[in-house]
């Protein structure tokens, strides 16, 4: 079957987004679910200023350029939403539309990142090892029922990256989204007129600090029913359908 649309999905603090196999759920869309630098087997990249979200955005830029198939739809989940925003603002010619899935608009959206970044590396390493040993508790804290399939996915997500990667990304999120520079980036993107779509979980939407001007500018804003922040893990078919409907309505 010919692919009609390329969708690049940028994962959050823990990746990737390949585990729920979106390609099998909506096969007429080409779903690209890369591991960002530092995740799985992808080497961590450091620029002149060390590890950064902007460097992650440039990695996605290079991926789109290598496709050489024109601009892509870009989906950013959580921290990935901030990376998607940096990408779309800096390289609008590569982005057809941006779908922010509870993406970080302000530092208020980085509660967990702030907690991780505040820990010493040794303290976080112990905490993360405990999470990896007990994925059922990790799901329970997110109010997700631990079915066998979800437990397997949770294990995959938790083992996909090292504690060092999570700590580095969390630290970068706090550093790069705290100031006016990132807010200016968000405003420039919204004012550019590039299509913006918003997707949240019904349980977690109230905690998403989306600026009023961004909500007003969004082409569509959908709350996925009976889900929280990890809606693609809870209800992947519905998640893929919502994203596909955004694309087909454009």
């Amino acid at each position: 079957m010919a692919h009609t649309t390329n969708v690049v999905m940028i994962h959050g603090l823990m990746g990737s987004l390949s585990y729920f196999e979106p390609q099998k759920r909506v096969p007429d869309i080409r779903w690209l679910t890369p591991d960002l630098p530092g995740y799985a087997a992808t080497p961590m990249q450091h620029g002149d200023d060390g590890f950064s979200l902007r460097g992650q955005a440039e990695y996605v830029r290079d991926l789109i350029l290598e496709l050489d198939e024109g601009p892509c739809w870009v989906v950013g989940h959580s921290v990935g939403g901030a990376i998607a925003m940096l990408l779309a603002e800096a390289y609008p010619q590569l982005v057809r539309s941006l779908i922010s899935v509870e993406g970080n608009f302000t530092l208020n959206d980085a509660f967990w990142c702030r907690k991780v970044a505040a820990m010493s590396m040794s303290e976080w390493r112990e905490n993360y090892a405990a999470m990896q040993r007990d994925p059922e508790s990790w799901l329970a804290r997110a109010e997700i029922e631990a079915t066998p399939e979800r437990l397997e996915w949770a294990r995959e997500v938790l083992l996909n990256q090292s504690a060092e990667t999570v700590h580095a990304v969390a630290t970068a999120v706090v550093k790069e989204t705290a100031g006016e520079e990132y807010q200016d980036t968000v405003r420039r993107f919204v004012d550019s007129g590039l299509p913006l779509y918003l997707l949240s979980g019904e349980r977690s939407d109230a905690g998403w600090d989306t600026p009023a001007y961004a909500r007003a500018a969004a082409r569509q804003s959908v709350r996925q029913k009976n889900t929280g922040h990890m809606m693609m893990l809870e209800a992947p078919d519905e998640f893929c359908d919502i994203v596909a409907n955004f694309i087909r309505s454009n």
Side-chain angles (χ1 to χ4, degrees):
M1 179 180 295
H3 295 295
T4 58
T5 306
N6 287 321
V7 177
V8 179
M9 300 181 70
I10 306 177
H11 62 75
L13 189 59
M14 293 185 289
S16 67
L17 289 174
S18 61
Y19 64 86
F20 61 97
E21 299 181 297
Q23 191 66 64
K24 291 184 178 179
R25 300 175 194 279
V26 185
D28 62 319
I29 290 172
R30 186 183 186 189
W31 304 82
L32 303 167
T33 56
D35 281 290
L36 294 175
Y39 291 81
T42 309
M44 180 74 84
Q45 294 179 335
H46 296 274
D48 294 338
D49 298 323
F51 176 82
S52 69
L53 298 184
R54 193 165 293 279
Q56 301 286 65
E58 291 171 356
Y59 177 83
V60 180
R61 174 204 62 190
D62 292 346
L63 184 154
I64 295 174
L65 288 172
E66 287 172 11
L67 281 176
D68 195 25
E69 295 180 9
C72 297
W73 282 75
V74 176
V75 177
H77 177 236
S78 194
V79 171
I83 295 168
M85 189 67 65
L86 292 167
L87 170 75
E89 190 274 331
Y91 308 104
Q93 72 277 13
L94 301 180
V95 179
R96 287 182 61 181
S97 297
L98 190 156
I99 300 174
S100 182
V101 184
E102 294 196 17
N104 290 36
F105 277 96
T106 75
L107 191 59
N108 291 333
D109 291 321
F111 171 79
W112 198 42
C113 285
R114 284 185 289 174
K115 183 177 179 180
V116 172
M119 295 183 190
S120 68
M121 191 63 245
S122 59
E123 181 185 8
W124 167 242
R125 193 178 289 113
E126 291 179 8
N127 274 262
Y128 193 51
M131 290 170 58
Q132 291 175 316
R133 289 193 298 268
D134 190 6
E136 187 168 1
S137 293
W138 183 64
L139 291 175
R141 285 192 292 273
E143 301 178 22
I144 299 174
E145 180 185 355
T147 65
E149 181 177 56
R150 289 171 181 165
L151 269 175
E152 181 56 35
W153 286 347
R155 291 189 189 96
E156 184 176 336
V157 169
L158 289 166
L159 293 172
N160 189 61
Q161 56 285 311
S162 67
E164 288 76 12
T165 287
V166 177
H167 196 273
V169 174
T171 301
V173 169
V174 173
K175 178 182 178 181
E176 295 179 58
T177 68
E180 289 299 319
E181 183 178 353
Y182 181 66
Q183 292 309 306
D184 290 344
T185 294
V186 174
R187 174 65 81 168
R188 284 194 299 269
F189 167 77
V190 173
D191 289 347
S192 76
L194 269 175
L196 171 67
Y197 295 80
L198 302 176
L199 172 54
S200 59
E202 186 177 40
R203 296 196 309 272
S204 48
D205 178 78
W208 189 16
D209 191 24
T210 312
Y213 69 84
R215 285 197 181 269
R219 296 272 181 101
Q220 292 185 55
S221 182
V222 173
R223 296 180 187 178
Q224 186 171 336
K225 294 182 178 180
N226 303 315
T227 63
H229 186 63
M230 292 187 287
M231 66 288 288
M232 67 287 295
L233 188 148
E234 289 191 78
D237 286 330
E238 290 82 356
F239 172 80
C240 290
D241 285 344
I242 292 168
V243 173
N245 286 336
F246 284 159
I247 291 168
R248 290 164 185 157
S249 70
N250 189 43

